[in-house]
Amino acid sequence: MNVHNQMEEYVSDRVRDIYRQLKEKESPWLTCSCESCILDSISYVLNRVAPHYVVSGRGAVYSSQVLNDSQLRADVDALAVEAIRIINSVQRPYHKLSSNLIAMSGQNEQQPFFNFPVLNGSVYDGSTFEPVIDAEITLKSKNGVVIMQDFSWPNPCRTYKSTKGSFSFWPESIPAAKENEIRKFTFTAEAKAQGYQTVSQAFEIVVAGEPKKRIYINNSLTMKIPDFILFNS
């Protein structure tokens, strides 16, 4: 008996279909539709929607009913377009850099880095405590808007119904002077949404220098930052 996430098939089909539609319309901002960009777009969406696992025919029937939800379909389409725009906006330097990064990986192997965890949070309505949809959250440091580790993680990012008002960031690694060096970093997150007062809150992360830059997500290294509670303006 196998466990299967039916969202994978649904998201893959929708992303590929949207790529096809954009190519047919000759959208000027669609600069690449290679398999690598398509897979990046699919991964972007899947990381931001809830999975729907099935293990039986009955589960498949239930999941198909879930996938027929019009709001879920609208959220997936919105995330797909967002993913394609983001990935196409950086794909040229990304493609050029990919081979260089592989070549340089050995050179940077001994360079210590401060590697940050993935930061997770949510945005709620202060009166109903329901998730706030289409809120914009920006992560900042003393140097301004924080650069993300991976080009597919936007900053600012947005919330969707399918993600229940949640958001996430993965800050770019910063060179350290030596391994095990301890440093405290201060960030400020700002959330705003139409009809609500803008809210900002600061938090700190203590990070130790590691032997090299972490380029893959470790699901065990995440940090929950304070949730946002927004009130009507």
Side-chain angles (χ1 to χ4, degrees):
M1 184 178 297
N2 295 320
V3 177
H4 177 62
N5 176 16
Q6 286 201 328
M7 286 303 296
E8 292 183 12
E9 295 174 356
Y10 179 74
V11 168
S12 178
D13 289 344
R14 286 304 299 149
V15 170
R16 292 181 184 279
D17 189 50
I18 291 173
Y19 262 105
R20 179 186 57 77
Q21 294 178 43
L22 292 171
K23 287 179 65 178
E24 290 178 352
K25 295 178 181 179
E26 298 182 346
S27 298
W29 56 269
L30 184 67
T31 57
C32 183
S33 58
C34 71
E35 186 65 15
S36 178
C37 287
I38 291 174
L39 292 177
D40 282 339
S41 300
I42 292 171
S43 297
Y44 179 98
V45 178
L46 285 173
N47 280 327
R48 289 160 175 80
V49 296
H52 292 284
Y53 296 106
V54 295
V55 294
S56 65
R58 180 182 300 176
V61 171
Y62 167 75
S63 186
S64 66
Q65 294 174 347
V66 172
L67 296 179
N68 282 331
D69 179 78
S70 59
Q71 184 60 59
L72 174 62
R73 296 201 304 271
D75 286 348
V76 169
D77 285 359
L79 281 167
V81 173
E82 179 179 287
I84 295 170
R85 284 187 179 276
I86 291 171
I87 289 165
N88 270 260
S89 70
V90 298
Q91 69 88 18
R92 291 186 184 278
Y94 169 69
H95 287 170
K96 291 178 181 178
L97 283 172
S98 59
S99 58
N100 292 337
L101 288 174
I102 293 173
M104 294 171 59
S105 61
Q107 300 175 15
N108 294 332
E109 196 171 41
Q110 301 305 317
Q111 169 67 53
F113 277 89
F114 292 113
N115 293 308
F116 297 99
V118 172
L119 309 177
N120 298 312
S122 299
V123 185
Y124 297 104
D125 184 296
S127 299
T128 65
F129 292 100
E130 291 292 322
V132 175
I133 309 306
D134 202 31
E136 181 181 275
I137 305 93
T138 306
L139 184 67
K140 301 178 181 179
S141 69
K142 63 180 181 180
N143 297 319
V145 175
V146 177
I147 298 173
M148 296 290 100
Q149 184 81 307
D150 188 295
F151 67 93
S152 66
W153 292 68
N155 184 20
C157 65
R158 308 194 75 84
T159 60
Y160 297 90
K161 183 177 180 180
S162 59
T163 59
K164 300 181 179 179
S166 66
F167 61 88
S168 59
F169 295 105
W170 188 20
E172 183 180 44
S173 301
I174 296 176
K178 59 182 179 180
E179 289 184 41
N180 299 317
E181 176 187 1
I182 304 297
R183 186 184 299 182
K184 181 187 296 183
F185 295 87
T186 300
F187 295 97
T188 300
E190 178 185 271
K192 59 182 180 181
Q194 186 174 6
Y196 292 91
Q197 299 176 21
T198 299
V199 175
S200 296
Q201 51 192 20
F203 60 93
E204 296 178 335
I205 302 177
V206 177
V207 185
E210 298 181 24
K212 59 183 179 180
K213 185 174 185 178
R214 189 187 309 125
I215 59 175
Y216 299 106
I217 293 177
N218 185 334
N219 290 328
S220 65
L221 298 176
T222 63
M223 175 179 172
K224 182 72 168 63
I225 66 175
D227 291 329
F228 285 96
I229 309 297
L230 303 187
F231 292 91
N232 293 333
S233 55

